[in-house]
């Protein structure tokens, strides 16, 4: 190949996965990470590069396509970083098999991490407890699933989570697990917090100061939970730790389409107001009781020690090299 890789050097399957992440067909921080890593694997398997330098350049181009889909969940760049870290070889075939191994290892570790996290989170839940959930988090569900497997009987208030109603997925999954589910509109959360033993939320990113970046509405829920004296914990694998925040970067909050909030016809009937649709918000550490990871439970303010251990002093962007 001569020159820089073009769009054509990125295999079709990578574009499909990127489109699905952008449209939220593939969504949830851990699921996005898994899909992005696997897409790099497909890029490697299907690359027609004839020399190692072209192969690497195409892999970087594919990573950029995946990286530029959604800005907030750090699990996506962390997944890409993981795959790039171990890519070694002096021939295209060696590089190809090294990417394959790296992707397999990453996806395996993701599964193991979620199971380990589930066991830590389940320790907090007692037989007969009621939880409240926000959005749909596979890390949160892992905690509930493990508790149910341990024989604990649980009830849940599930917030529908406007505008995309991911609470419906949570309700469905919890019902399948045998949890007694009550679906509520987001604004009813405070009304029911006095019946709740634990608020459980996931995360798209955790900042170095322990702030939790999660689905819009998490911060209001956390403030209400603190006011009511209801413990609120965040279930987040360490892949959600945002290494860029160690060096002062902030986490980009994704703004999504107005059409997720209101259809154009209804908007026009009410005078076409400006519509804002932030997908995430930031909950300061003082409103969060604990962060549950596969490496144990951390007070939010001390998560920085874990972040330094796992990521060093900051983050690199190997796909830009
Ligand atoms: P898991 C989701 O974001 C939610 O904010 C959820 O709490 C978070 O990802 C973590 O999900 P979105 O993709 O990794 O629905 O725990 O915007 O599955």
């Amino acid at each position: 190949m001569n020159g820089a890789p073009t769009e054509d050097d990125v295999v079709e399957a990578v574009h499909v996965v990127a489109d699905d992440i952008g449209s939220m067909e593939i969504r949830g921080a851990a699921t996005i990470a898994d899909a992005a890593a696997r897409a790099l694997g497909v890029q490697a398997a299907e690359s027609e590069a004839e020399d190692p330098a072209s192969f690497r350049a195409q892999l970087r181009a594919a990573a950029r396509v995946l990286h530029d889909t959604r800005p907030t969940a750090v699990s996506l760049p962390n997944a890409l970083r993981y795959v790039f870290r171990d890519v070694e070889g002096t021939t295209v075939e060696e590089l190809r098999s090294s990417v394959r191994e790296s992707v397999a290892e990453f996806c395996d570790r993701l599964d193991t991490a979620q199971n380990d996290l589930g066991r830590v989170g389940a320790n907090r839940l007692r037989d007969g407890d009621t939880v409240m959930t926000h959005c749909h988090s596979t890390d949160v569900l892992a905690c509930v699933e493990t508790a149910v497997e341990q024989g604990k009987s649980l009830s849940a208030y599930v917030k529908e989570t406007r505008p995309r109603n991911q609470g419906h997925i949570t309700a469905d999954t919890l019902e399948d697990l045998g949890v007694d589910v009550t679906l509520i509109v987001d604004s009813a959360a405070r009304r029911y917090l006095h019946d709740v033993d634990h608020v459980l939320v996931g995360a798209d990113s955790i900042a170095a100061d322990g702030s939790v970046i999660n689905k819009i509405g998490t911060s209001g829920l956390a403030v209400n939970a603190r006011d009511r004296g209801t413990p609120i914990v965040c279930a987040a694998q360490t892949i959600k730790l945002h290494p860029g925040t160690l060096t002062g970067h902030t986490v980009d909050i994704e703004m999504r389409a107005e059409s997720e909030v209101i259809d154009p016809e209804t908007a026009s009937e009410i005078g076409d107001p400006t519509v804002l649709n932030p997908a995430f918000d930031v909950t300061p550490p003082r409103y969060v009781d604990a962060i549950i990871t596969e490496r144990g439970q951390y007070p939010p303010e001390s998560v920085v020690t874990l972040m330094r251990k796992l990521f060093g002093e900051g983050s690199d962007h190997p796909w830009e090299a």
Side-chain angles (χ1 to χ4, degrees):
M1 190 193 76
N2 294 318
T6 66
E7 283 246 314
D8 295 342
D9 298 316
V10 174
V11 303
E12 176 59 18
V14 169
H15 288 293
V16 171
V17 170
D19 287 349
D20 284 351
I21 293 174
S23 67
M24 292 179 68
E25 278 297 309
I26 296 173
R27 54 147 295 279
T31 308
I32 289 170
D34 182 82
R38 288 181 196 278
L40 279 188
V42 177
Q43 171 67 37
E46 296 183 2
S47 167
E48 292 178 356
E50 286 169 4
D51 57 81
S54 307
F55 179 93
R56 283 181 183 275
Q58 291 178 5
L59 197 66
R60 288 197 296 270
R64 288 195 293 273
V65 168
L66 294 161
H67 178 261
D68 292 346
T69 49
R70 296 188 71 195
T72 305
V74 75
S75 51
L76 171 50
N78 280 347
L80 302 175
R81 253 176 227 120
Y82 189 102
V83 175
F84 272 81
R85 197 186 59 195
D86 291 332
V87 175
E88 279 175 359
T90 51
T91 66
V92 169
E93 277 323 307
E94 280 174 12
L95 288 169
R96 211 190 300 279
S97 85
S98 146
V99 173
R100 186 174 53 237
E101 281 165 25
S102 192
V103 169
E105 184 183 290
F106 174 78
C107 295
D108 240 34
R109 288 181 77 149
L110 204 58
D111 277 350
T112 308
Q114 195 163 69
N115 292 336
D116 291 349
L117 172 155
R119 278 193 289 278
V120 178
N123 288 337
R124 293 187 68 101
L125 306 175
R126 295 154 304 178
D127 188 31
D129 275 354
T130 298
V131 302
M132 182 178 282
T133 63
H134 184 58
C135 199
H136 168 251
S137 156
T138 55
D139 282 351
V140 164
L141 289 170
C143 303
V144 174
E145 185 173 359
T146 307
V148 168
E149 282 167 5
Q150 292 169 345
K152 295 169 188 168
S153 163
L154 300 173
S155 307
Y157 284 99
V158 172
K159 295 178 69 204
E160 60 179 356
T161 318
R162 279 272 290 152
R164 295 184 69 103
N165 292 325
Q166 291 104 319
H168 293 185
I169 311 170
T170 303
D172 193 32
T173 312
L174 289 175
E175 286 281 2
D176 286 348
L177 290 174
V179 173
D180 181 17
V181 172
T182 304
L183 184 71
I184 56 170
V185 297
D186 296 312
S187 41
R190 185 181 167 86
R191 164 75 180 75
Y192 293 105
L193 271 172
H194 62 267
D195 294 338
V196 168
D197 300 293
H198 319 265
V199 175
L200 303 178
V201 298
D204 295 80
S205 285
I206 306 275
D209 69 349
S211 294
V212 170
I213 295 89
N214 192 48
K215 184 58 52 187
I216 190 75
T218 303
S219 62
L221 176 62
V223 171
N224 276 327
R226 180 50 46 89
D227 184 52
R228 288 280 200 210
T230 312
I232 171 163
V233 301
C234 169
Q237 300 176 51
T238 54
I239 196 174
K240 318 281 179 66
L241 301 179
H242 198 305
T245 59
L246 284 167
T247 49
H249 293 283
T250 52
V251 180
D252 232 6
I253 299 294
E254 178 183 9
M255 298 297 293
R256 293 193 61 85
E258 295 180 18
S259 56
E260 289 185 347
V261 176
I262 190 166
D263 66 83
E265 202 180 313
T266 313
S268 142
E269 281 166 18
I270 59 168
D272 273 324
T274 300
V275 177
L276 295 176
N277 184 17
F280 303 101
D281 64 19
V282 181
T283 303
R286 65 183 178 277
Y287 294 110
V288 179
D289 289 275
I291 294 176
I292 307 285
T293 79
E294 73 276 18
R295 292 184 172 239
Q297 170 179 297
Y298 287 78
E301 291 85 355
S302 74
V303 86
V304 64
T305 53
L306 181 61
M307 205 179 275
R308 285 229 156 84
K309 190 166 155 201
L310 297 176
F311 293 96
E313 289 303 313
S315 59
D316 54 352
H317 298 89
W319 49 89
E320 284 170 6

